[in-house]
Amino acid sequence: MLTNQTCLESFGLIEELDEQAAETISGGYEVFEVKNKTGYNIPYTVDGKTTGDPSPGSDRIWTAYSGGIIEFDVDGRDGYELYKKYNLADGGVYEFQDNTTTIGNPYDIELYRVD
């Protein structure tokens, strides 16, 4: 018989939920930086809030009070949407870069930690 906790553990969600709960309970926050090193506008959200400037070369420092979850479209083409989510770490510096490991899609974008 599977319990709710067993199901969550099998998907690796317990640690993620514990980390987010600890931040919420403690009233903590995270600060991190997100840069756009691509040639594309990349609209993204952090904890459900939209960005100010998604343009190439933009650089933004975020203070997140709800976990630091970023969501963005990994395809730089208009009309193609495929969203990805990450939990960003406190003090981290991240860059949107062209993902050259994807064969056949030169518009593929990825978020990399660079510090």
Side-chain angles (χ1 to χ4, degrees), residues 50-100:
T50 17
T51 62
D53 183 10
S55 62
S58 63
D59 186 350
R60 173 129 186 222
I61 296 175
W62 285 89
T63 301
Y65 296 93
S66 300
I69 306 296
I70 191 168
E71 184 174 16
F72 64 98
D73 183 6
V74 299
D75 194 312
R77 296 175 286 186
D78 291 336
Y80 292 87
E81 294 181 354
L82 176 61
Y83 287 90
K84 200 178 256 191
K85 284 185 183 183
Y86 292 115
N87 184 354
L88 304 184
D90 186 34
V93 178
Y94 298 87
E95 287 182 355
F96 288 112
Q97 299 176 10
D98 294 320
N99 183 358
T100 58

Side-chain angles (χ1 to χ4, degrees), residues 25-36:
I25 291 168
S26 69
Y29 61 91
E30 296 175 308
V31 178
F32 44 84
E33 186 173 6
V34 178
K35 301 176 181 183
N36 182 353

Side-chain angles (χ1 to χ4, degrees), residues 13-58:
L13 298 176
I14 291 294
E15 289 178 17
E16 178 78 18
L17 293 172
D18 286 346
E19 180 180 317
Q20 289 178 9
E23 289 170 9
T24 302
I25 291 168
S26 69
Y29 61 91
E30 296 175 308
V31 178
F32 44 84
E33 186 173 6
V34 178
K35 301 176 181 183
N36 182 353
K37 297 294 184 178
T38 73
Y40 309 106
N41 288 329
I42 305 173
Y44 65 95
T45 62
V46 173
D47 294 339
K49 296 178 183 167
T50 17
T51 62
D53 183 10
S55 62
S58 63

